[in-house]
Amino acid sequence: MRFWLRNEEMALEEMVQRLNAVSKRADEIMHQDIVPLCAADIKDQLKKRFAYLSGGRGQDGCPVITFPDYPTFSDIPDKEFQNVMTYLTSIPSSQDTGIGFILVIDRRQDKWTSVKASVLRIAASFPANLQLVLVLRPTGFFQRTLSDIAFKFNRDDFKMKVPIIMLSSVPELHGYIDKSQLTEDLGGTLDYCHSRWLCHRTAIESFALMVKQTAQMLQSFGTELAETELPNDVQSTSLVLSAHTEKKDKMKEDMKLALQEGHTILESIREPLAKNPEYSLNQDQLDNQTTVQRLLAQLNETEAAFDEFWAKHQQKLEQCLQLRHFEQNFREVKVALDLVSQKMTTLADVGNSLAHVEHLLKDLANFEEKSNVSVEKARALCLEGSQLIENKHYAVDSIHPKCNELQHLCDHFAAEIGKRRNLLSKSLELHGLLETSMKWCDEGIYLLASQPVDKCQSQDGAEAALQEIEKFLETGAENKIQELNKIYKEYESILNQDLTEHVQKVFQKQESMEEMFHRRQVSLKKLAAKQTRPVQPVAPRPEAFTKSPCPSPGIRRGSENSSSSEGNALRRGNYRRAKSEMSENQQVRSGSTGDEEESLAILRRHVMNELLDTERVYVEELLCVLEGYAAEMDNPLMMHLISTSLQNKKDVLFGNMEEIYHFHNRIFLRELENYIDCPELVGRCFLERMEEFQIYEKYCQNKPRSESLWRQCSDCPFFQECQKKLDHKLSLDSYLLKPVQRITKYQLLLKEMLKYSKNCEGAEDLQEALSSILGILKAVNDSMHLIAITGYDGNLNDLGKLLMQGSFSVWTDHKKGHSKVKDLARFKPMQRHLFLHEKAVLFCKKREENGEGYEKAPSYSYKQSLNMTAVGITENVKGDNKKFEIWYNAREEVYIVQAPTPEIKAAWVNEIRKVLTSQLQACREASQHRALEQSQSLPLPASSNTSPSRGNTKAVKKLEERKTDPLSLEGYGSSASLPKPPEKGKGWSKTSHSLDASEDNDGWSSAEEPVNSSDAEEDGGAGPRKLVPGKYTVVVDQEKGGLEALPAKSGDVVEVMNEGDEGLWYVRNLTTSKEGWVPASSLSTLIGKSRSAQCLSSSESGAGSALLSSSSSCSESCSATFSDLKG
């Protein structure tokens, strides 16, 4: 490097010397060293042409300066005259000026006085040597005579170092200077144009100045380049090289312009020759031509010197840039190889199954493929370093060690990869043996399970089963593990604790299966041997005797003595044979049950294997998409293939697929593998990770946007290139559908697992996991509909969780609407799609489905919403068991909703009840304290009639007044006023819902009731409370208040039989079996242990309907506590 820098310094010195010489020569050409004056500076003075240098020469080569006839010569300022004389005398070469100038003063048209003044002025101010002064005196007779006389008498006034010759005519002048050296105005033939001469002089001097300035700039630039320090990074070096190259190009452009300028001047000087080849240039023109040629030659020398210097400087910078690139690439490759080595140290797993090992080998191949990118970069960098060394780079001492280090890292990686592959190959071989053994065992168990027990009872069936078993056992030589110690020794390098235990389990399973086959062989041999046994003869008399259930005493006594011992022996033999056969049958049945359990275990294992295998494939496919497509969208080398509509749309196209991949790869797959030996418990794995499965909802919500983007850009070359690299037969959209397919696949696998695990420990967990997965699928489906809502101004998230959604026929009925409109609305249903949220129910209109795939999903135009705090429901609507009512703000707005099926209606009614129940509970907790205070200050209800229950105690009466309000028996003066008992078979005229009276006697007035009642509100809001049929508990003692009134005690259970008017119910006391009328407010429904009151209303359903009609709503200002609604 030092040698190289020394060469650069030498090149700089040489260039500087050449440039100094060029500047000096330019100064000499312009005579800047003597007279710093240029034609451009006195251009206006030279244009006056009171003196000019025509280019003519005297006999001895003296330059001729002509002073033409100039009337105002005496008026020229001295400064101008001096400048012109100085400039003209500086033009000829120093050799010519040394001989001296010849002055030709033309005063033929002037007066003697002017001649005298001109000669005296020239003699006094001429700055150079003079050879001869020739004066053409005035041509007039008088002036010529006067000049002759005056010149003789005034000769002393013209004291000059050279002679002054007065000439009377031009021919006399020709005797001193040849005609070819004189201009036409002096009778000569010399071609002279003053303006052309002035232009040439200006151009030549400008060119000389340009050459000088160029040389100076090159010298300064060369010094700057030589003094520049080499940067330490790629970017700075690139910037320096770029800046220097830019300056060099500008210098070269300036030199090119200067050369063009010089050639233009030279062509201008030679222009007469181009027009007339016989034309001869005068001396001044020849001198100008020589001057320009010298300047051009010097400029070429300057350019050559600069090019030589620049080549060395550029080489230095380029080698520096190469070194910086090499160092930067070395650092990057070193970091990448270190990461690869670090990753290699973590690859210690040898697998726990054949599929796992195959997956590990595939991962290793992928890892090797990805790592080879870094390794190939390292090898390429080594080759690049070697080339730099061969090209005699100045930093060989720095490049060579780095190349050696990279080579060592590459060799180490190759060795580690080979070692890792050998271990996994060993593991693959071992797991292949284990899988083969397990498969053989499973096939054996299948064989045992497939042999029907009933067919084995015959001799042929038993022998056929034995042959099947023996034939199967013959295949064990090539399928089962022969020697366990041999396995330990051969695969010692990969056997860890888990794998050793797995080998032992497989071997134990193999032994257990062989033992099962042995037991089956023994059983079948016994069955086959039993069929060949001869049938023993049986005597008829003992047979008849033993079968006689009730023999006569005479016969019995006669036979006892004659055949006692023979009969006893025969009975003992038959008993033993029957007992033996029973024992064998029990063993067969026991073996059959055990075989069935083993078969179910095998089926469970198969389902588990399918779950694991498909899970691994799923994870691999996600990784392939993320690396082969998503990551490539950020690859600068692939950007030119990505269309503008696809740029910056990776999140739209892939959604949260990366989040899904990390969940399955890092968590779920590993946890599933823990249940491989107990597949019936895999439901727990799903339950523990059920929250994480919510990420699929986000993915599915984004799927329509992803589908739309794919359809716009599916023909993009980027996707085709990625598919080609991945060698995929299917396009990307098929892989984008994988998460949707996977989340639906789980419920099928769980159903299969539950089918074979109904009597196992984890059956309940499997059932719960299946329900949860189905719930997620429902939530995903609901959310897909939810995002299709258009026109809603608010935030749908503020409405709470989406509970249900579906399409219904809806009739509207509003109190304040026009009667014709109301009637018309009742007969013309609207098709609406309802969305039930925790805080509101939305009514939308379903639009037509357009597009394909996910784009075919419908859209929903928002129409209106009802706040659940002001909603009530009526469960049954007259004439149709698929209808129910949703009413709003005290039935000001009523929506009759018809579901597609009664089941859908029941599900919606139940879900709405749950929402209202939660609101009632919230009201209860928020207002319990305030309600208690208000209940103490409420006035007693006014009544003009006498209550049938006035005979009660004062405490009971006070409770009745506080508790029942308008729903008590107040208002009925006597028993005559009570309604008649219902006729049998008539059924219910109205259905209603009950309310629980509070056990702590906290009652509420109708004015405080926070729940809307359908019928009460329809009648003005002051009607009695309504109850639904069923069993109730009496909460207030009822005394005999009339003929039809039913006496009852607190705690009695009654059954409601019919609904009366004004809050009375006809009931049957289940304790006393008596019937009669009681106030509805004195009853409480039997719905658990709730202590709060519950208000329900009746719908106008038809008679005979036995379904409950619950019309419940909750306002935000409720002041009472309520119990949960119970269907």
Side-chain angles (χ1 to χ4, degrees), residues 57 294 548 605 738 752 917 960 1038 1062:
R57 292 290 188 273
R294 287 173 57 195
S548 177
R605 191 178 299 111
K738 293 293 182 180
E752 284 294 309
T917 299
E960 285 282 335
Q1038 298 294 323
E1062 299 182 1

Side-chain angles (χ1 to χ4, degrees), residues 767-782:
Q767 183 62 55
E768 186 177 353
L770 176 60
S771 301
S772 300
I773 287 291
L774 293 175
I776 289 178
L777 292 176
K778 177 183 177 300
V780 169
N781 181 59
D782 290 346

Side-chain angles (χ1 to χ4, degrees), residues 343 359 615 619 622-623 626 658-674 689:
K343 179 66 175 177
H359 183 73
E615 185 72 12
V619 170
L622 292 182
L623 178 62
L626 291 174
E658 185 174 359
E659 183 182 7
I660 294 174
Y661 165 72
H662 288 313
F663 163 65
H664 285 271
N665 183 51
R666 298 174 180 175
I667 300 175
F668 193 63
L669 176 58
R670 297 182 181 181
E671 293 185 357
L672 280 179
E673 291 173 345
N674 295 332
R689 296 299 174 184

